[in-house]
Amino acid sequence: MGLSNASGDLSTEVEVDAFRCLFPLRFYEKHLLESIRPDARPLGRARETTIALGAVASANGSALAKIGSTTMLAAIKMEVMTPSLETPDEGCIAIDFHMPPICSPIVRPGRPAEAAPVVAKQLSDTILSSGMINLKELSLVSGKAAWMAYLDIYCLDADGALFDTALLSAVAAFSHLEIPVVSLNDDGKIVLSEEQGLSDREPVNKEKRKINLSSIPFSLTCVLHKNYILADPTAEEESIMDTILTVVLDSSSQLVSLHKPGGTVLAYTSAIQDCIALTRQRVKELQKILEEAISGMEVD
């Protein structure tokens, strides 16, 4: 009797999996009627999120961020540069986003992932336009030396909401960032004190310091399907329901950007307002997670 029940359960499970593979949209719509998703989340709930600071020991600032299975590793390396004539009192930030073949079956070796340059551009626009970092803080000597912050983000697992996870890892890495101590060498150039053995010289900046962050941006991606809004979609949900809307708010809940890359569903005003409301709730969650990660790092 027990064997018969086990066989029946297995048969039912196989049938469900087959139906999901053959008719993915119908499979999801059956769940949407019950306001639930296949992973048991309510429509408006994001996946479990974690942040680990200091994931890369050789970087000046780094963080590992996970939203569900989507995993991003962000690392920042600081280098001294000569500022441009247009902005002699400002440093620069260079952002690169990498999607190696290990992150997803759809990324092929030798071919750049289509999503990589799109996410990189979104990240650059968001970080610079939000005003999170005052580039004047990266200046060392006006017109002569400033910091160039190289931010590299590696996607280790791509299971939806790539931009949300990448932005979170970037924000966390900048929260962990420490500006190195630099000194003047014999040629009058500014170099890292530790690397050049100039610890006895008068440093240009007295000690390692954190960078001041303000108006920190956080984002939430939603997929729109008929009258339904699904927050923090998985890769499967993004592929089935092709209308995606990403809302970016800063830590004061001010709108930074709204991104809708096409799709078959029109983003009506009511839908946009609902997505913004979900993002406001999400910002509070992410702020708390980031604060706990920073507090945990200080204790260690």
Side-chain angles (χ1 to χ4, degrees):
M1 190 72 176
L3 182 62
S4 176
N5 290 339
S7 300
D9 292 343
L10 181 61
S11 175
T12 302
E13 186 176 330
V14 170
E15 289 175 3
V16 170
D17 288 342
F19 181 76
R20 183 173 188 167
C21 291
L22 294 171
F23 309 102
L25 186 57
R26 286 173 58 189
F27 174 81
Y28 266 88
E29 286 178 338
K30 284 181 176 293
H31 285 80
L32 294 179
L33 290 172
E34 305 296 329
S35 296
I36 200 76
R37 292 149 87 164
D39 60 7
R41 277 188 295 156
L43 304 189
R45 181 180 297 172
R47 292 167 291 176
E48 182 180 354
T49 303
T50 60
I51 297 173
L53 300 180
V56 182
S58 58
N60 299 115
S62 61
L64 182 75
K66 292 188 68 174
I67 298 180
S69 296
T70 303
T71 308
M72 300 284 174
L73 177 65
I76 302 171
K77 199 69 176 174
M78 304 296 287
E79 290 188 7
V80 178
M81 66 159 196
T82 302
S84 65
L85 295 174
E86 293 79 12
T87 55
D89 298 318
E90 294 183 0
C92 287
I93 300 173
I95 300 172
D96 209 351
F97 181 73
H98 310 269
M99 290 187 70
I102 61 167
C103 76
S104 171
I106 65 173
V107 180
R108 301 297 183 187
R111 298 181 184 179
E114 292 181 7
V118 177
V119 174
K121 181 68 166 59
Q122 271 186 279
L123 286 168
S124 182
D125 290 346
T126 299
I127 291 173
L128 295 177
S129 66
S130 67
M132 177 178 75
I133 298 171
N134 182 359
L135 296 179
K136 292 184 182 297
E137 275 202 52
L138 300 180
S139 177
L140 287 166
V141 179
S142 180
K144 294 184 178 181
W147 287 111
M148 167 68 86
Y150 290 98
L151 170 62
D152 285 282
I153 300 175
Y154 294 85
C155 179
L156 305 181
D157 193 340
D159 187 25
L162 300 186
F163 174 74
D164 298 347
T165 317
L167 179 60
L168 183 61
S169 70
V171 166
F174 275 113
S175 299
H176 178 252
L177 174 65
E178 284 190 336
I179 304 293
V181 177
V182 291
S183 304
L184 287 170
N185 66 6
D186 295 332
D187 298 326
K189 294 181 179 179
I190 290 182
V191 294
L192 295 177
S193 299
E194 295 175 357
E195 289 184 2
Q196 300 296 325
L198 299 175
S199 56
D200 57 332
R201 297 292 183 86
E202 180 69 20
V204 176
N205 54 334
K206 302 294 183 184
E207 60 185 11
K208 289 184 178 181
R209 63 179 177 85
K210 294 285 189 180
I211 195 167
N212 294 317
L213 302 181
S214 61
S215 303
I216 298 176
F218 298 99
S219 66
L220 178 66
T221 296
C222 300
V223 291
L224 310 179
H225 180 68
K226 296 182 178 178
N227 294 322
Y228 300 104
I229 298 175
L230 284 71
D232 181 29
T234 62
E236 183 182 32
E237 290 170 341
E238 287 182 347
S239 65
I240 296 169
M241 293 165 269
D242 62 350
T243 302
I244 299 173
L245 182 68
T246 300
V247 179
V248 183
L249 301 178
D250 65 20
S251 45
S252 301
S253 292
Q254 297 298 309
L255 182 64
V256 175
S257 68
L258 198 66
H259 182 66
K260 180 180 178 292
T264 57
V265 178
L266 293 175
Y268 294 104
T269 303
S270 59
I272 293 175
Q273 289 174 339
D274 289 342
C275 289
I276 291 175
L278 288 171
T279 307
R280 285 200 179 98
Q281 296 174 13
R282 181 62 170 159
V283 167
K284 294 177 182 177
E285 295 173 6
L286 295 176
Q287 282 179 306
K288 184 179 179 182
I289 293 169
L290 180 59
E291 288 168 2
E292 288 175 351
I294 294 172
S295 298
M297 194 73 182
E298 290 173 351
V299 170
D300 294 339

